[in-house]
């Protein structure tokens, strides 16, 4: 039981840290991309469509790191492999 | 709470399982095929067209323009692949707001299948355009030392394509479920609206990225010669 408690504690803390720290970088990156795109649109309104297209694609690329963090946090919280392993060990 | 619709199994026979992902994939397929079949039964070229035919024409025309913008190539030959991907992802993401509908794009198996299709479509179009030799040559550009990095790049972007779509849709449905538990009034509606927006943007991004990858596979030869 002691081990399980530690695994639960560690998983929740790690999931929170993973999501929190993992959101900072992409958020800054997306903010920078957006600000550059907006100033580019302000300078060249005719090119709005192209700029927005590249902005979306680039943001999707930047965002994928945050998505990895999210998936990792979800795995830690809801499908924790270590947790399941020890539960099975305790039962069997 | 189920993290993936793969885990809800209705029937299982040896290694084959009928899970939520498959069932809702069939639902979306049925809707799309049924709608297209209905419309194309009485299709006309006159100036007076039905609303349904108008929707399809706008969709196909918009897709052609978008694909042409992303690839700088004649878009017709990419339309069957990219258009199907876009429409399927779009419909299943939008249907995610329907209660009880588990979007098949929120399952890693579906998105992996999609990105594997894109993974194999890139060499397919590349080899068809430039020939096997010239296509393989693109992996040792600009120097043979880059070979492992090119391969890693190819694999990792496929992985990113799958996980991005999966993570976005999963996070949408999951946030909705969690908010529904802790605050059932009004706030989940806003999250659903955000989910709709994210669903459409993700469908667009998946298609544009696939188009860009395919175009990158095609343009290799032209940049060398």
């Amino acid at each position: 039981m002691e081990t399980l408690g530690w695994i639960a504690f560690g998983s929740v803390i790690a999931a929170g840290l993973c999501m929190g720290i993992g959101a900072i970088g992409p958020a800054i990156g997306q903010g920078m991309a957006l600000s550059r795109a907006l100033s580019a649109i302000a300078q060249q309104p005719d090119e709005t469509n192209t700029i927005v297209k590249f902005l979306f694609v680039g943001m999707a690329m930047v965002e994928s790191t945050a998505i990895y963090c999210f998936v990792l946090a979800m795995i830690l919280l809801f499908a924790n492999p270590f947790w399941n392993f020890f539960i099975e060990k305790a039962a069997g | 709470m189920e993290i993936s619709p793969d885990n809800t199994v209705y029937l299982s026979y040896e290694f084959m399982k009928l899970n939520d992902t498959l069932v809702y994939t069939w639902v979306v397929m049925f809707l799309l095929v049924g709608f297209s079949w209905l419309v194309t039964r009485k299709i006309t070229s006159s100036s007076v067209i039905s609303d349904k035919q108008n929707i399809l024409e706008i969709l196909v025309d918009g897709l052609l323009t978008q694909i042409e913008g992303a690839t700088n190539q004649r878009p017709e030959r990419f339309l069957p692949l990219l258009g199907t991907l876009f429409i399927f992802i779009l419909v299943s993401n939008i249907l995610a707001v329907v209660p009880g509908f588990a979007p098949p794009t929120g399952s890693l198996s579906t998105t992996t299948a999609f990105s594997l299709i894109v993974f194999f479509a890139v060499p397919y179009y590349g080899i068809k355009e430039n020939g096997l030799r010239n296509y393989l040559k693109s992996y040792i550009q600009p120097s043979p030392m880059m070979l492992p990095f090119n391969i890693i790049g190819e694999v990792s972007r496929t992985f990113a394509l799958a996980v991005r779509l999966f993570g976005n849709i999963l996070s949408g449905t999951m946030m909705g479920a969690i908010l529904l538990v802790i605050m059932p009034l009004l706030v989940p509606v806003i999250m659903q609206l955000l989910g709709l927006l994210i669903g459409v943007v993700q469908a667009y991004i998946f298609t544009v990225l696939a188009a860009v990858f395919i175009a990158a596979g095609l343009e290799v030869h032209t940049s060398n010669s």
Side-chain angles (χ1 to χ4, degrees):
Chain A
M1 203 56 223
E2 187 68 9
T3 328
L4 272 182
W6 277 110
I7 291 176
F9 174 77
S11 303
V12 174
I13 297 281
L17 277 178
C18 176
M19 200 60 248
I21 298 175
I24 293 174
I28 294 174
Q30 286 195 338
M32 284 168 76
L34 179 63
S35 76
R36 288 295 172 84
L38 285 181
S39 55
I41 289 175
Q43 283 170 3
Q44 288 176 301
D46 294 346
E47 293 296 316
T48 304
N49 285 334
T50 321
I51 294 170
V52 166
K53 192 179 78 196
F54 280 109
L55 175 68
F56 272 155
V57 173
M59 273 200 173
M61 289 286 188
V62 173
E63 198 188 38
S64 53
T65 48
I67 295 292
Y68 295 157
C69 290
F70 171 76
V71 171
L72 207 62
M74 283 296 121
I75 288 171
L76 280 173
L77 287 180
F78 296 107
N80 196 321
F82 307 107
W83 178 267
N84 293 342
F85 173 72
F86 276 102
I87 289 274
E88 270 170 27
K89 213 175 176 188
Chain B
M1 189 182 295
E2 290 299 335
I3 189 170
S4 156
D6 286 4
N7 297 335
T8 321
V9 179
Y10 295 112
L11 292 170
S12 73
Y13 174 74
E14 290 179 10
F15 63 91
M16 290 181 285
K17 286 179 188 147
L18 182 62
N19 54 30
D20 252 5
T21 312
L22 274 180
V23 169
Y24 288 115
T25 306
W26 289 339
V27 169
V28 174
M29 275 163 61
F30 177 78
L31 284 177
L32 290 176
V33 173
F35 180 73
S36 315
W37 186 82
L38 266 182
V39 175
T40 48
R41 278 324 87 187
K42 44 179 188 217
I43 208 159
T44 69
S45 61
S46 66
S47 58
V48 183
I49 56 176
S50 66
D51 292 350
K52 295 196 194 88
Q53 189 186 338
N54 210 342
I55 292 176
L56 273 197
E57 284 188 5
I58 291 171
L59 192 62
V60 171
D61 200 48
L63 275 169
L64 284 174
T65 324
Q66 289 295 330
I67 295 171
E68 188 168 21
T71 56
N72 291 326
Q73 308 262 346
R74 283 177 53 86
E76 281 82 7
R77 55 180 170 160
F78 307 120
L79 186 69
L81 174 67
L82 297 176
T84 312
L85 278 177
F86 177 76
I87 296 171
F88 183 87
I89 297 173
L90 182 75
V91 169
S92 66
N93 285 356
I94 286 179
L95 283 181
V97 293
V98 177
F101 184 90
T105 41
S107 144
L108 194 55
S109 39
T110 310
T111 56
T112 309
F114 287 164
S115 59
L116 278 180
I117 292 171
V118 175
F119 179 74
F120 287 112
V122 173
Y124 171 76
Y125 283 114
I127 292 172
K128 213 170 151 192
E129 176 90 357
N130 301 326
L132 184 60
R133 222 181 106 81
N134 280 323
Y135 179 74
L136 289 181
K137 237 187 218 169
S138 71
Y139 280 95
I140 53 168
Q141 295 295 336
S143 81
M145 245 170 58
M146 292 297 284
L147 177 68
F149 302 105
N150 281 333
I151 293 172
I152 290 172
E154 200 93 359
V155 172
S156 76
R157 77 188 187 190
T158 306
F159 179 70
L161 206 58
V163 175
R164 178 180 309 117
L165 183 58
F166 161 70
N168 271 297
I169 305 308
L170 175 80
S171 69
T173 49
M174 203 143 224
M175 293 295 174
I178 292 172
L179 278 177
L180 211 57
V181 171
I182 60 173
M183 194 185 273
L185 194 65
L186 291 181
V187 178
V189 177
I190 297 167
M191 284 308 290
Q192 295 274 306
L193 280 177
L194 197 65
L196 266 182
L197 175 73
I198 289 177
V200 175
V201 170
Q202 286 305 317
Y204 173 75
I205 283 174
F206 193 97
T207 316
V208 168
L209 281 180
V212 168
F213 293 159
I214 289 174
L218 287 181
E219 280 165 7
V220 168
H221 180 57
T222 46
S223 61
N224 290 347
S225 59

